[in-house]
Amino acid sequence: MNHRLFWIPVFALLASLIFPGTLLAEESTTTPATVKMTVIKPGEAQRCKTDFIVENLDGETADLKVVLGHKVYVDELLNPRERRAFSLPGTIMTAKFHGHNVPQEDAAVIINLGPKADIQLRCIQLPVNPPPQKDDLAVFK
């Protein structure tokens, strides 16, 4: 009889530790929202006002150009099936650091110069970091 009574508090303890953890895990998982997804054919261009991901869809190299303001800032060859991610605010800040005059609210123009490969463009909106909260236990850390 005592053996059965021993397992009741053990199960209650496990449930109290696991259940809040699963609720917290469900709340904290976020995925970036895709604002726009398009395929850029060779010789075409698209604008993106948010962060973006480019991917070469074909088996040949693709010539990628990213224009900020009035100048080409990124000039790269994408290998077959290669994927690159760009943070628009980060790219603008890096361009300003290198001496380019780029407005902060500018959009990126992504150009595919081919010659035969298609590039998939995904403009994404990353979630905003929550503001820092006061930690009552910071004194003890």
Side-chain angles (χ1 to χ4, degrees), residues 37-40 53-57 118-122:
M37 182 188 276
T38 57
V39 174
I40 306 173
I53 300 172
V54 292
E55 180 180 3
N56 184 353
L57 297 177
D118 292 341
I119 294 178
Q120 180 184 38
L121 170 68
R122 282 193 299 161

Side-chain angles (χ1 to χ4, degrees), residues 25-124:
E26 290 176 9
E27 291 176 6
S28 64
T29 57
T30 58
T31 57
T34 300
V35 177
K36 176 175 71 170
M37 182 188 276
T38 57
V39 174
I40 306 173
K41 302 282 185 191
E44 294 181 354
Q46 290 287 330
R47 298 180 77 85
C48 204
K49 294 186 178 194
T50 61
D51 301 331
F52 56 96
I53 300 172
V54 292
E55 180 180 3
N56 184 353
L57 297 177
D58 290 327
E60 297 187 24
T61 58
D63 191 4
L64 171 70
K65 308 276 191 237
V66 177
V67 177
L68 296 175
H70 300 291
K71 291 184 128 184
V72 174
Y73 185 69
V74 176
D75 182 7
E76 296 181 0
L77 292 176
L78 285 178
N79 292 323
R81 306 288 179 205
E82 183 179 3
R83 183 183 296 173
R84 297 278 321 269
F86 294 91
S87 164
L88 185 60
T91 306
I92 289 173
M93 292 304 290
T94 306
K96 285 183 177 183
F97 179 74
H98 287 254
H100 297 281
N101 187 14
V102 181
Q104 186 65 30
E105 58 278 343
D106 194 23
V109 178
I110 298 93
I111 304 170
N112 180 7
L113 291 181
K116 297 180 183 176
D118 292 341
I119 294 178
Q120 180 184 38
L121 170 68
R122 282 193 299 161
C123 299
I124 58 173

